[in-house]
Amino acid sequence: MSVNGGSGIGRRQALGAAGMAACGVAALAACGGESKDRQAPGIKGKVIAKTADVPVGGGTVVKQYRIVVTQPSEGVFKAYGAACPHRGCAVSTPKDNVMICPCHGSEFDAVTGEATKGPATGKLVAYQVKVEGDGIVVV
């Protein structure tokens, strides 16, 4: 192998190719398994929903932030990232305290965000929220 421009590839090209291969493997791993979704940046302190828009035993999906807000029991509000940890599809609006991923049928508990039916095994990303007036705010 030549380092000074001969017919072989140089050290920089070899290192660059190895780096690209590692990135490709990481991307494929993220696509094929449980995702490690994190909280959306810049929403701390923002009103993400109105309490009147979140029915007891149900909830609402806030598409702007890709968050699902639930009210599992009267006056108790929870918020989760709407991305299914299996492949990242957006879960449905909660009904009877269950959120369903339309892509592969995973189900999640609206109280805990835990997967109750696979193929997803991870839980939804949780957000701490509080009620301020008639708004639900990320803490």
Side-chain angles (χ1 to χ4, degrees):
M1 194 181 305
S2 173
V3 177
N4 296 323
S7 61
I9 65 168
R11 181 173 174 246
R12 286 185 183 172
Q13 289 87 2
L15 288 173
M20 293 295 284
C23 288
V25 168
L28 286 174
C31 291
E34 299 284 316
S35 71
K36 301 296 180 202
D37 199 320
R38 290 182 275 181
Q39 290 188 353
I43 64 167
K44 188 174 181 177
K46 290 191 178 184
V47 174
I48 56 170
K50 299 289 185 186
T51 56
D53 296 334
V54 185
V56 176
T60 187
V61 175
V62 183
K63 291 180 183 178
Q64 176 184 0
Y65 299 115
R66 201 168 173 172
I67 294 175
V68 60
V69 181
T70 71
Q71 186 177 186
S73 58
E74 184 74 36
V76 176
F77 295 91
K78 306 278 185 166
Y80 304 99
C84 175
H86 176 240
R87 298 261 174 137
C89 297
V91 298
S92 69
T93 300
K95 183 176 179 184
D96 299 323
N97 285 326
V98 175
M99 297 166 282
I100 300 171
C101 177
C103 294
H104 301 104
S106 294
E107 294 182 5
F108 300 89
D109 185 296
V111 178
T112 65
E114 296 279 343
T116 57
K117 178 183 172 193
T121 57
K123 60 194 249 180
L124 299 174
V125 173
Y127 288 83
Q128 285 289 106
V129 292
K130 66 179 179 178
V131 175
E132 287 185 1
D134 67 345
I136 300 167
V137 177
V138 176
V139 198

